[in-house]
Amino acid sequence: MANADMKYEESTLKDKRSHNNHIERIYYFERIDKVILYEQNVKTFKVYSGSDLTWIQDIECQSNILAIEFCDLPDLKVIAVSLADRTIAFFEQSALTQ
């Protein structure tokens, strides 16, 4: 498609919550319909609704966040958070809806 005309427009959705540092990663987990982001050198990750991108909550960890992944196990759905203190914190899907 050599002549494809691609046009991107900025959304009217705005995150009005403050951020304390540069955003390191943003994830969308389709299975639980959540957007999760964390910032560089921060212990907190932010949870947003996937359907309308409204903020749900901030979740604090015991150490700085290095990576986040969704684990879809047969009997359990959890967010696994790798931390700088060499631990992994697990948060059940139900904990992300408060």
Side-chain angles (χ1 to χ4, degrees), residues 31-70:
R31 296 274 195 150
I32 58 173
D33 194 32
K34 297 285 185 283
V35 173
I36 295 178
L37 67 85
Y38 67 95
E39 301 163 25
Q40 292 177 345
N41 302 315
V42 175
K43 298 177 183 181
T44 303
F45 64 92
K46 299 176 184 300
V47 181
Y48 296 84
S49 165
S51 60
D52 61 5
L53 298 177
T54 56
W55 174 81
I56 296 173
Q57 67 180 330
D58 291 349
I59 297 179
E60 188 164 343
C61 297
Q62 64 191 19
S63 184
N64 289 351
I65 299 169
L66 301 177
I68 296 178
E69 188 58 61
F70 176 65

Side-chain angles (χ1 to χ4, degrees), residues 13-98:
L13 295 170
K14 300 289 182 197
D15 180 9
K16 298 194 187 313
R17 302 192 51 77
S18 66
H19 296 276
N20 299 318
N21 213 334
H22 299 289
I23 296 174
E24 180 74 24
R25 296 276 190 266
I26 300 174
Y27 300 96
Y28 172 64
F29 296 113
E30 184 176 6
R31 296 274 195 150
I32 58 173
D33 194 32
K34 297 285 185 283
V35 173
I36 295 178
L37 67 85
Y38 67 95
E39 301 163 25
Q40 292 177 345
N41 302 315
V42 175
K43 298 177 183 181
T44 303
F45 64 92
K46 299 176 184 300
V47 181
Y48 296 84
S49 165
S51 60
D52 61 5
L53 298 177
T54 56
W55 174 81
I56 296 173
Q57 67 180 330
D58 291 349
I59 297 179
E60 188 164 343
C61 297
Q62 64 191 19
S63 184
N64 289 351
I65 299 169
L66 301 177
I68 296 178
E69 188 58 61
F70 176 65
C71 302
D72 190 2
L73 306 171
D75 296 328
L76 188 62
K77 293 175 182 3
V78 296
I79 296 290
V81 183
S82 172
L83 302 173
D85 67 358
R86 297 184 177 180
T87 61
I88 299 174
F90 295 97
F91 298 90
E92 292 187 32
Q93 175 184 352
S94 60
L96 306 176
T97 58
Q98 298 175 357

